[in-house]
Amino acid sequence: MSGVKIALDVFGGDLAPNVNIDGAISILKEGKFDLELYLVGKERVIEKLLHERGFSHEKLHIIDAPDVFGMAEKPSAVLRKKDTSLYRTAQLVKEGKVDAMVSAGNTGAVLAVALFVVGRIKGIERGAIATPIPSKKGFTVLLDCGANAEVRPEHLRDFGKMGYHYARLLGKTSPKVGLLNVGEEEEKGTKETKAAYELLTEALGEDFYGNVEGRDILYGDVDVVVTDGFKGNVAMKAIEGAAKFISDVLKSQIKASGLAGILGGLLLKNAFLRLKKTLDPSEYGGAFVLGVKGIVTKAHGNSNALAIENAIKVAYEGVKGRLVDKLQEEFWGD
């Protein structure tokens, strides 16, 4: 496949539209990807921002959308606001005019357009937000990260199957899937998690690792961790907070140690830079909304230009890796 077409919701996100424009420009300047970008939003504003940056490109297109869906609006309202940049971005995927979409907008609204505009894959009842979390062995895919506060055991089974294929797309040859629980023993957990354990065992066989605890997300002994959206979102935000805490403590302790600390910090500068890069959410760009009939990539609401650029790369790899096709084959075969 060549010429991947990706639509970007230019007015989605806390720092929109500037960071979205800058992220789009950056990836096109990089020139490593065979893609066309469709910038969706207020046409005159987009043209003005591109002109200010002195940038034009034959593979950059503007799709006018006169309205903006706010970060604090009720998510279900997006389905009535068809002139917003978010809705029209999803519509381009639905109509097959693009292969994927990227948005840093309202999470609930992105999920709504993914499920009800792009549409669910046959056989999948619930979509899930899947996020790669840095671990000792590279990354662990965590899902669901906020799409479904409450789920049934069969939903967790489906999340496991979707997460398995996503991990393979990311380079894991034989991913191991774990079920987030309060202990590793099979008998631990609620009635729902016990039922999910049985369903995951049946669906994944030896690829199901069993129950895992919160610490296992970072240890990396499993490649995928499955849970409901409430616990998944809490876990993800706790990990992000811990990473920022560690970084802040290191900086303050180095400063407090005087000249010796500063010299030691300079000697370890490269190690600190690598640590920062590993823990920086911007480096991972975006999370897939799995279970829908198109590549939908959700970038963090406070994404900077680097995060938007990387979210576009995530969407690109999803198209190239035929992720949707593989999920359709998996679930249609049930």
Side-chain angles (χ1 to χ4, degrees):
M1 182 186 295
S2 62
V4 174
K5 298 178 179 179
I6 298 176
L8 175 63
D9 172 17
V10 173
F11 285 81
D14 297 330
L15 305 177
N18 286 283
V19 297
N20 295 317
I21 293 291
D22 291 337
I25 290 173
S26 182
I27 195 168
L28 287 176
K29 281 185 175 179
E30 194 174 337
K32 294 181 180 179
F33 303 92
D34 183 16
L35 61 81
E36 293 186 39
L37 286 182
Y38 291 72
L39 304 182
V40 186
K42 297 178 181 180
E43 185 174 12
R44 290 185 179 180
V45 176
I46 294 173
E47 288 176 345
K48 178 176 179 291
L49 291 172
L50 291 172
H51 178 72
E52 288 174 352
R53 289 156 174 78
F55 186 81
S56 63
H57 199 287
E58 61 181 3
K59 293 189 176 181
L60 190 64
H61 314 282
I62 300 174
I63 304 296
D64 185 43
D67 201 0
V68 176
F69 194 80
M71 296 295 283
E73 291 191 62
K74 187 177 180 180
S76 59
V78 73
L79 301 177
R80 301 190 301 273
K81 296 188 172 183
K82 299 183 179 182
D83 288 333
T84 61
S85 58
L86 176 55
Y87 190 98
R88 290 196 176 178
T89 301
Q91 197 169 38
L92 290 172
V93 180
K94 171 69 174 178
E95 295 172 352
K97 294 178 180 177
V98 299
D99 304 300
M101 65 171 280
V102 173
S103 177
N106 181 311
T107 299
V110 172
L111 183 65
V113 298
L115 295 175
F116 299 107
V117 179
V118 178
R120 282 192 294 266
I121 292 173
K122 179 182 176 182
I124 298 178
E125 189 173 329
R126 296 283 185 93
I129 298 175
T131 305
I133 303 292
S135 76
K136 288 174 66 177
K137 298 183 179 179
F139 67 87
T140 301
V141 175
L142 177 64
L143 74 162
D144 179 22
C145 287
N148 307 278
E150 297 180 359
V151 296
R152 298 197 301 271
E154 54 267 33
H155 298 148
L156 293 171
R157 173 203 61 200
D158 291 350
F159 294 171
K161 293 164 70 176
M162 292 192 292
Y164 174 87
H165 285 285
Y166 181 25
R168 290 193 65 181
L169 170 68
L170 294 176
K172 301 287 187 178
T173 54
S174 184
K176 294 296 180 184
V177 178
L179 175 64
L180 189 64
N181 210 325
V182 294
E184 297 179 354
E185 297 82 4
E186 184 176 346
E187 65 273 11
K188 286 288 182 72
T190 64
K191 180 175 67 175
E192 287 73 20
T193 54
K194 290 175 184 177
Y197 188 105
E198 294 182 4
L199 292 175
L200 283 162
T201 300
E202 180 182 352
L204 297 173
E206 293 182 355
D207 293 315
F208 179 51
Y209 182 90
N211 289 327
V212 297
E213 298 180 74
R215 59 175 178 242
D216 296 306
I217 298 171
L218 298 178
Y219 285 179
D221 291 331
V222 291
D223 305 298
V224 180
V225 172
V226 172
T227 187
D228 63 69
F230 182 86
K231 290 190 283 289
N233 191 266
V234 169
M236 180 181 67
K237 295 294 175 60
I239 290 168
E240 288 179 356
K244 188 176 187 305
F245 171 75
I246 291 169
S247 177
D248 290 347
V249 168
L250 281 172
K251 289 178 183 177
S252 64
Q253 289 299 315
I254 288 171
K255 289 180 180 179
S257 299
L259 181 60
I262 294 172
L263 291 174
L266 289 172
L267 291 172
L268 293 171
K269 181 179 178 180
N270 289 335
F272 288 147
L273 289 174
R274 289 194 297 270
L275 176 64
K276 181 181 178 181
K277 186 179 179 70
T278 299
L279 298 177
D280 186 358
S282 300
E283 295 290 339
Y284 293 85
F288 282 133
V289 179
L290 298 180
V292 296
K293 295 184 289 187
I295 296 296
V296 177
T297 306
K298 172 67 177 77
H300 205 291
N302 64 358
S303 290
N304 56 22
L306 174 62
I308 295 299
E309 178 183 356
N310 284 327
I312 294 170
K313 291 178 184 178
V314 168
Y316 178 88
E317 294 299 336
V319 176
K320 283 290 192 177
R322 298 181 55 252
L323 180 59
V324 172
D325 291 339
K326 289 173 181 176
L327 291 179
Q328 287 178 328
E329 291 164 5
E330 170 73 32
F331 284 87
W332 288 358
D334 284 355

